[in-house]
Amino acid sequence: MKLIIVGGVAGGASAAARARRVNEDAEIIMFERGEYVSFANCGLPYHIGKVIPERESLLVMTPEKLKGRANIDVRINSKVTSIDRKKKTVSVTNNKTGEKYTESYDKLILSTGSSPLRPPIPGADDPDVMILWTIPDMDKIIEKVQSGAKSAVVIGAGFIGVEVVENLVELGLKTTLVEMLPQVLPPLDKEMAQPISEIMEFHGVNLNLNNGVTEIKKNKDNSFSVKLKTGETVETDMVIMSAGIRPNSELAKDAGLKLNKRGGIVVNKQLQTNDTDIYAIGDVIEVNDLVLDEPTMVPLAGPANKQGRIVADNVFGKKLEYKGSQGTSICKIFEKTAAATGINEKRLKKEGIDYHKFYFTPNSHASYYPGGYMLFIKVLFDKSGKILGAQITGNDGVDKRIDLLATAIRKGLTFDDLEELELAYAPPYGAAKDPINFAGFVGNNILSGSSQVVYPDEIPENAYLLDIREPDEVLCGTIDGSVNIPLGKLRDSFDKLPKDKEIIVFCKVGARGYLAELILRANGFNVKNISGGYETWKLFYPGPSNCPTMVEQETEKAQTVALNSPKMPKVTLEINACGLQCPGPIVKVKENIEKINNGEVLYVKASDAGFLNDIPAWCNATGHTLVNVKSERGVVEALIQKGAEKNTDSMTAITKEVDGKKRTTIVLFSNDLDKALAAMIIASGFATLGHEVTIFFTFWGINVLRKNNPPRLKKDLLSRMFGFMMPRGAKKLALSKMHMMGMGTGMMKHVMKTKNINSLPELMKQAQELGVKFLICEMAMNMMGIQEDEVIDGVERAGVANFAALSEKSTTTLFI
């Protein structure tokens, strides 16, 4: 038999090697249009970033090795231009010599793969706008970096895009990532991709989500000007396009082989096309969706390799079936890992499929063993309990959990099966009840009705929100409008809870919330538990971070005293809070600082990135001094001096001390003109007396900060309705009383003008010039669909924890 394989890399090279193992006598010829027949294309970004130092490490197999080991005739730089199905020949052109010839075949395997898309953007077709798909593409990027490039714009936030971004940042390039969707990593649902966005911004990536590129213009010095949909122009040394792929099916199309609407080659379960002597594998083919049992396309290396092995057996007479793909994928982004398998929620909604879901956030290994990290896990399933998909974001332990869930989907395991799985356990690697066991527990609780969950983005408007965490945890943040009753005091507080309203209970990660749910339901309350708890709620409603980015930390290094400096005070007590997630490290700090005396120093180490943001606010609120804090390789280290004033001769404090200044905080809850005027006048008055004044605008008060003519923004229907019904900025506010269909408000403005009283916008400007700080409530913005671009300049976003810390330091707090 004479077997011709068109295309190498994952599928083609696997098929060729397997074919030789199956049949020693066959004549096997492989055509590869490029120079490299088999290389590790998934490793290309990591050679750019010098993680993989040797270029040769990427060359999995060379033509010489394939010839010597498997007697395969490999012809590189050879493009198959057409197939004559009647004559059973292929036409070939040598890309270097131009030689053209034909080659006959008995069986033909197409492994032509896919190619990166260049969207129809002016300038995108410039040959200096780079892609990363092959080794020559990689070499071109490396050459640009070595020639002195200091900045880059990457277009597209899929797996390749974010991996390229990570490695460029590690090389020290100022990197901008532009993505049309409102999230990175489209295989994940938006909330599950949120930790990846946060870690990228933490490392200094200029993240432009829900945005797009309208033009790429090359400048005279070979730099680029990249214009975005928002009107911003980013100046950069190089542009890398990672905006999706398309199947290389032109050869099959010209030969009359059947294609689907996306251009994928249609094959049967034996990977055979509509021509019985032609097979196809890899990125170019349509496969069966293993979960939904419908056609799809899954361009991943793992499935391509498996298909190569199966097709080689079938060419020589076997009838093996490729059952389908489920899209299991994983990606490293700095310290984080994101993974997915099966169907995501976006597709389930699009397909109109009924489903259930739950979130839970276990530790990657036993919580008492140092170095553990929180895993954010989402599981999707149908009413029968069939698992449809799963997503995980975290640090360590993501890979083995997603692989177990992928196995469960492929083999049809139930939640009962997950509960019963006996998995390897030792404290450094897992827990006696592994997260996968817990997935079984949670899934069965929901199916049986013993737990009724509500999702963070579907909390009923009039529900009674009950936070059952400890008060110290609540200090670090909670859901606005919630009431705090710790779990241990719940049974003594039934008289404080409503029987006529639905109670939505939550804790940090959902476990205590489940216990509270059982207690309350047994005592006649209508109750549901927020799936995944407060930590998952924050994925849906991320607030602004006060945590310094890696870039800011590097800038501040020269100004701070090193933790191991002899100038540092002697450490009295050391604690390791690694493995605890926000607010766990804060609680640990509080417990241990009570064990030392005033003036003594506590050293704490934590793996939760949020601790870098929380510990300064906590120290400010509690009167302790944060001597130093730093983050390196995902571990935060802090020195805290108990209840002592800072000695500036011996240490550098990071936090703002309480230094005797008078501080006033005003909460503006209203968008009534008269109340807003009063707030500005009072704020300015306090400011003139030397007070540090902050106005916290929340709920209807955020309308005072809206621009009169905001830019046109993409919003959902409810957000547009809110925006239409609410007043647009300070000029549009009405009086709380005597508005009289606008007449009273007009009279008030006229009187103010004739008596030389500044208008509200003028008073707001005056207040800011006097140093009054404007804070806008993040939660209120999210609820009412107000976006940052609609808000006037000079306003900072803040959460309730930020406001609480300010109020704690204030001599006066006013509510208007």
Side-chain angles (χ1 to χ4, degrees), residues 33 114-119 130-134 137 160 241-248:
R33 65 179 179 177
S114 55
S115 295
L117 285 171
R118 286 186 181 265
M130 302 180 190
I131 56 175
L132 182 59
W133 203 246
T134 65
D137 296 334
I160 295 174
M241 189 72 68
S242 182
I245 60 173
R246 60 171 184 81
N248 295 328

Side-chain angles (χ1 to χ4, degrees), residues 13-307:
S14 294
R18 176 64 179 174
R20 176 54 72 215
R21 292 195 295 273
V22 172
N23 191 307
E24 177 63 23
D25 300 324
E27 180 183 0
I28 304 173
I29 303 173
M30 182 191 295
F31 293 106
E32 169 56 48
R33 65 179 179 177
E35 189 175 347
Y36 302 93
V37 65
S38 181
F39 63 92
N41 51 358
C42 296
L44 300 181
Y46 300 104
H47 181 58
I48 292 173
K50 300 182 180 179
V51 179
I52 301 172
E54 298 298 329
R55 184 176 183 272
E56 289 71 22
S57 301
L58 301 173
L59 304 178
V60 178
M61 191 62 65
T62 64
E64 294 76 19
K65 287 182 179 179
L66 279 171
K67 180 64 177 176
R69 295 181 182 182
N71 192 25
I72 295 170
D73 182 1
V74 178
R75 304 179 191 179
I76 59 174
N77 296 309
S78 297
K79 182 178 180 180
V80 174
T81 57
S82 64
I83 303 169
D84 189 326
R85 290 167 55 192
K86 289 184 179 179
K87 295 181 180 179
K88 297 183 71 171
T89 61
V90 295
S91 298
V92 185
T93 300
N94 187 301
N95 293 334
K96 287 197 170 181
T97 65
E99 176 192 2
K100 298 182 178 180
Y101 61 96
T102 60
E103 195 74 53
S104 63
Y105 66 84
D106 294 313
K107 299 290 183 181
L108 177 64
I109 299 174
L110 299 180
S111 180
T112 48
S114 55
S115 295
L117 285 171
R118 286 186 181 265
I121 300 169
D125 57 351
D126 189 302
D128 286 334
V129 172
M130 302 180 190
I131 56 175
L132 182 59
W133 203 246
T134 65
I135 285 184
D137 296 334
M138 176 192 72
D139 292 339
K140 190 175 178 181
I141 293 172
I142 292 173
E143 182 182 353
K144 186 72 173 179
V145 173
Q146 291 177 342
S147 67
K150 301 296 183 186
S151 60
V153 170
V154 177
I155 302 170
F159 288 118
I160 295 174
V162 297
E163 288 172 350
V164 170
V165 166
E166 176 191 6
N167 284 279
L168 292 177
V169 169
E170 297 289 10
L171 290 174
L173 274 72
K174 182 181 178 182
T175 307
T176 297
L177 178 61
V178 184
E179 169 58 52
M180 292 184 67
L181 296 175
Q183 67 171 88
V184 299
L185 298 178
L188 274 64
D189 292 315
K190 184 180 177 182
E191 73 277 10
M192 297 302 293
Q194 179 61 29
I196 305 304
S197 295
E198 291 174 358
I199 198 66
M200 295 180 82
E201 290 185 319
F202 176 73
H203 281 270
V205 177
N206 178 19
L207 202 56
N208 280 269
L209 301 178
N210 211 18
N211 206 339
V213 175
T214 58
E215 183 182 16
I216 303 172
K217 182 180 178 182
K218 186 191 285 185
N219 303 319
K220 290 182 180 180
D221 61 353
N222 287 325
S223 66
F224 290 90
S225 298
V226 180
K227 188 173 182 180
L228 307 182
K229 284 186 176 180
T230 53
E232 177 189 359
T233 298
V234 181
E235 302 296 333
T236 186
D237 294 329
M238 65 176 176
V239 178
I240 300 174
M241 189 72 68
S242 182
I245 60 173
R246 60 171 184 81
N248 295 328
S249 56
E250 296 85 356
L251 184 65
K253 181 180 179 182
D254 293 342
L257 299 180
K258 185 178 180 181
L259 307 182
N260 65 14
K261 291 180 180 180
R262 295 174 59 187
I265 301 174
V266 177
V267 295
N268 61 19
K269 291 183 178 180
Q270 286 78 37
L271 301 172
Q272 203 169 33
T273 70
N274 54 302
D275 186 316
T276 55
D277 292 321
I278 302 177
Y279 297 77
I281 57 176
D283 290 5
V284 75
I285 69 167
E286 174 184 272
V287 296
N288 179 51
D289 185 312
L290 196 67
V291 180
L292 299 182
D293 194 25
E294 63 184 34
T296 190
M297 297 186 72
V298 180
L300 293 171
N305 274 286
K306 296 174 183 65
Q307 292 159 15

Side-chain angles (χ1 to χ4, degrees), residues 304-325:
N305 274 286
K306 296 174 183 65
Q307 292 159 15
R309 181 182 176 89
I310 290 171
V311 79
D313 282 357
N314 289 345
V315 160
F316 292 105
K318 290 190 177 182
K319 295 292 183 182
L320 302 181
E321 292 185 353
Y322 182 74
K323 296 181 176 63
S325 299

